[in-house]
Each structure stands twice: as structure tokens, then as C-alpha cells.
Amino acid sequence: MKKKLKLKFQYDSPVMLTFAFITLIIFVLDTFALKGKLKEVWLVTPTAAGGQFPFAFSDFRSIIRLFIHVFGYDQSSVLVCNLIFILLLGPQMEDRYGSVIIGIMIFVSALFSGVLNACFCTNAVSGAEPVVFMLILLWTMMQLSRSKVSASAIAVIALFITMLVFQKNPNGVVGVVIVAAGGLCGSLFAFLASPKARKAKKNEAALAEFRDETSPRFSIKSTSKGSGKSNNKKSYDDSEETVIGSIEL
């Protein structure tokens, strides 16, 4: 008999995938339809006084630019390079810390790098380099949590910073430092969302459900204890289901 191959599509990383898709759609739309006008006006960071887009609280565009500059790109090569990092590391980190926390990290990275650029730089920049650097740092932290220093993680950080230098940031070394600082600030939220703490909380919830008299798990447990010898096989099956259910959680 022929076995049918069943494949189930899974949108496994909603925040990172949505971020990547929005970035790609904006780039295609701006490049081919708007001829770069969207990026020139909106998808750049505000600057210090005397720069291209001086920051002003009275100008709502300055506030918006603090966040959405991570969606702007001039070159397709830079876009593809960043998307590769985002799609490789992003789903792992989102699964580890959760969609809400990873979304907050992206928000903080974009905001902090935008604010620093508005304070110290006269040239506007764009791109998701702070977010990419944040993901690399989170991946490095994951390696360190296993009580080992990963040479590959250190090499990735060094190569990424080297790439930023060779890309010739309009603000020079200061621009590279701002990218690194934005990624670092976003990654600090990892300490507020320890994966071990979340796992322990799940285990406590599962144990509380098992002890709850109104829970189906409790009734299965009671049935297995109260049954006689004639129901030994059934009790064994019920107990086995309980164990499997606990492991699954």
C-alpha cells in the first residue's frame, strides 16, 4: 500500500516572520512603485540639530521615524543578508523567550538606536542591523547558558561588526557603536524572561491542574486508585495516559 505524505504548514514564528515579510514587502513596494520616496521621507532615523531630519517633539514624523527606520533599505544585498540572520536566529529566540518578549526586544532595539542617532549623529540611517545584532547576542547568551563559551558565537559577533565597518556607516564609528548599543539594550530583556522560569511556571500549572478535583486529570487518577483487580488493565491504561499527558506539558 502506498503511504500518503502529510505535510502541515506551520507559521512557527509569528513575530519574526511577520517582521521579515513586512520588511520585504516595503522594500519591493518602495523600490518599484514609489522609487525610494517612502524610504527617503519615513524609513530613516531622525538626526541631531543641523542634520538631514532634525528631531523635534512637535513633528510627529520624528517620533515615528524612531521606530520604523528598521524597515528601510537602500540595497537588496544588505536586505537579504539581514533577512538571512533574522530567519535563521529569530525563530529559535522567539521559541525560547516567547512572541511578546521578542516583540518588545525588537521595539526597544529600534527605539534606542533611533534615539541615539537623534542625539549624536547628523546623518540619517536605516536598516534592521540593531535587531540582527540583538538576535546574535541572544544566541550567544544561549550558548553561555550551557556553561560553555562558543568560539563560533564570538566569531559571528566579530564578523558582523566587521561587516558593519566595511559597509561604511554614514556616521562612521559612532554609527557602528549605536547599532551595537541598540542590539545590546534589546537583548537585556532576556534577563527578565528566563526560559527556565517560564518552564518552571508551566510545570507548576500542570501540577495544579493534576491536583484539581474538577480537572479530568484528577478523575483519571482517582479512577485508577479506586478500581479493583478486575480493572487492573484499565487502571494501567489510565495511569499511562496521565503520565504521557504530564510529559507532553
Side-chain angles (χ1 to χ4, degrees):
M1 295 181 62
K2 294 183 178 179
K3 293 184 179 180
K4 293 183 178 180
L5 180 62
K6 294 183 178 180
L7 296 176
K8 184 178 180 181
F9 176 78
Q10 185 180 10
Y11 202 69
D12 57 337
S13 181
V15 172
M16 300 311 304
L17 285 174
T18 302
F19 181 85
F21 287 148
I22 291 176
T23 303
L24 184 60
I25 291 172
I26 288 177
F27 177 77
V28 172
L29 178 65
D30 191 37
T31 301
F32 297 101
L34 302 177
K35 306 301 181 183
K37 294 181 180 179
L38 181 62
K39 188 259 178 187
E40 290 179 359
V41 178
W42 293 97
L43 305 179
V44 290
T45 58
T47 62
Q52 294 173 302
F53 303 99
F55 179 81
F57 283 105
S58 58
D59 185 4
F60 76 98
R61 291 179 297 180
S62 295
I63 306 296
I64 295 177
R65 289 188 187 113
L66 291 175
F67 308 103
I68 65 173
H69 65 90
V70 293
F71 296 108
Y73 285 91
D74 286 324
Q75 302 176 6
S76 59
S77 58
V78 179
L79 169 65
V80 171
C81 180
N82 286 350
L83 288 183
I84 289 174
F85 275 108
I86 289 171
L87 295 177
L88 277 176
L89 302 178
Q92 298 181 51
M93 299 304 105
E94 186 170 348
D95 180 66
R96 183 175 175 82
Y97 295 103
S99 298
V100 175
I101 296 299
I102 205 70
I104 294 174
M105 290 180 182
I106 294 174
F107 177 82
V108 171
S109 294
L111 175 62
F112 198 77
S113 58
V115 168
L116 288 179
N117 200 86
C119 291
F120 301 106
C121 301
T122 57
N123 294 313
V125 295
S126 59
E129 281 81 5
V131 177
V132 174
F133 191 67
M134 177 199 75
L135 293 174
I136 293 175
L137 291 177
L138 291 176
W139 179 64
T140 304
M141 291 179 190
M142 185 176 68
Q143 305 299 320
L144 293 175
S145 66
R146 297 171 181 172
S147 301
K148 63 179 182 180
V149 178
S150 174
S152 60
I154 296 175
V156 169
I157 293 176
L159 288 173
F160 185 76
I161 294 177
T162 303
M163 182 188 72
L164 292 178
V165 173
F166 278 101
Q167 281 181 355
K168 296 182 179 180
N169 190 291
N171 297 309
V173 178
V174 176
V176 175
V177 173
I178 288 176
V179 170
L184 179 61
C185 287
S187 65
L188 291 179
F189 277 82
F191 295 102
L192 303 178
S194 173
K196 292 183 178 180
R198 293 195 296 111
K199 185 177 180 181
K201 191 176 294 185
K202 284 186 177 181
N203 290 338
E204 290 177 4
L207 185 60
E209 183 183 359
F210 183 76
R211 291 175 177 174
D212 187 5
E213 295 182 2
T214 61
S215 172
R217 296 177 184 273
F218 182 87
S219 60
I220 292 174
K221 176 183 174 185
S222 302
T223 303
S224 62
K225 286 184 176 180
S227 58
K229 293 183 179 180
S230 59
N231 293 330
N232 283 342
K233 186 177 186 300
K234 182 178 179 181
S235 300
Y236 176 79
D237 292 339
D238 290 341
S239 299
E240 188 178 23
E241 289 179 8
T242 302
V243 172
I244 293 175
S246 300
I247 292 175
E248 183 179 356
L249 290 174

